[in-house]
Amino acid sequence: MQNSTLILVRHGESEGNRDRIFTQTPEVPITERGKRQAEAAARWIKERFRPQRLVCSPYLRARQTANILAQQLSLSVEENPAFREQSFGVFAGRPYEALLTDAAYHDGPRWAWRPPGGESLEDVAARVVPAVLDLSAEALGQEVVLVSHGGVMLAIIAHALGGWDSLTVPPNGGIVIMDYAAGSLSLRTQIVPVAD
């Protein structure tokens, strides 16, 4: 039976990550540190894999990271809007800590919390999981790099593990390896640290 390997990469540090602010626009770029993280992730992947495809979120920080990987891995970049980051609605442009003042954030599991005008992690999973399963099924016998975001990666990991408990967001430039076989994803390696 053929399977596929999915190499999940979180984009390099963005200006929003650096400033600890929810991004107000999809066009926020990565920082110099983010570029180094992407280069380190590319080196790590190149030493261990021979991916045939490179897919990314349409957001600038993911595209910039993917372009750095593409140069190292000699691949073209495919964008898929399903892999865009979680929308934080009214919190866009505000500090990360601002959501802690939202009473609803504390009313239940964090993955069910939906900011006004935004998405919960469960909403993200409903969008992302079908897309990642389709991508994996299309790539049987192949290795595929997917550059996306913390919330997207959490949704994929939660699906593979069957729950959200105890999950942490991968760091910028962090890598998670998944295996796909017989219609389902399994986690091979949690978060692979790369040089900062």
Side-chain angles (χ1 to χ4, degrees), residues 162-174:
W164 298 89
D165 287 326
S166 305
L167 297 186
T168 56
V169 178
N172 292 114

Side-chain angles (χ1 to χ4, degrees), residues 76-98:
S76 59
V77 177
E78 307 169 41
E79 291 180 27
N80 186 327
F83 299 118
R84 66 189 182 276
E85 179 59 300
Q86 175 182 9
S87 168
F88 284 94
V90 299
F91 290 97
R94 298 178 62 192
Y96 291 164
E97 291 74 22

Side-chain angles (χ1 to χ4, degrees), residues 152-170:
V152 172
M153 291 175 73
L154 277 182
I156 297 170
I157 295 167
H159 171 76
L161 296 179
W164 298 89
D165 287 326
S166 305
L167 297 186
T168 56
V169 178

Side-chain angles (χ1 to χ4, degrees), residues 98-181:
L99 65 79
L100 298 177
T101 64
D102 187 299
Y105 182 74
H106 305 280
D107 282 347
R110 63 185 176 89
W111 51 88
W113 172 76
R114 181 182 295 116
E119 297 175 292
S120 68
L121 282 169
E122 290 175 338
D123 295 331
V124 174
R127 161 168 53 84
V128 166
V129 169
V132 79
L133 291 175
D134 286 348
L135 175 63
S136 300
E138 290 169 9
L140 287 178
Q142 297 182 332
E143 298 170 341
V144 179
V145 177
L146 173 58
V147 180
S148 65
H149 308 268
V152 172
M153 291 175 73
L154 277 182
I156 297 170
I157 295 167
H159 171 76
L161 296 179
W164 298 89
D165 287 326
S166 305
L167 297 186
T168 56
V169 178
N172 292 114
I175 299 170
V176 174
I177 310 299
M178 308 284 262
D179 292 303
Y180 173 87

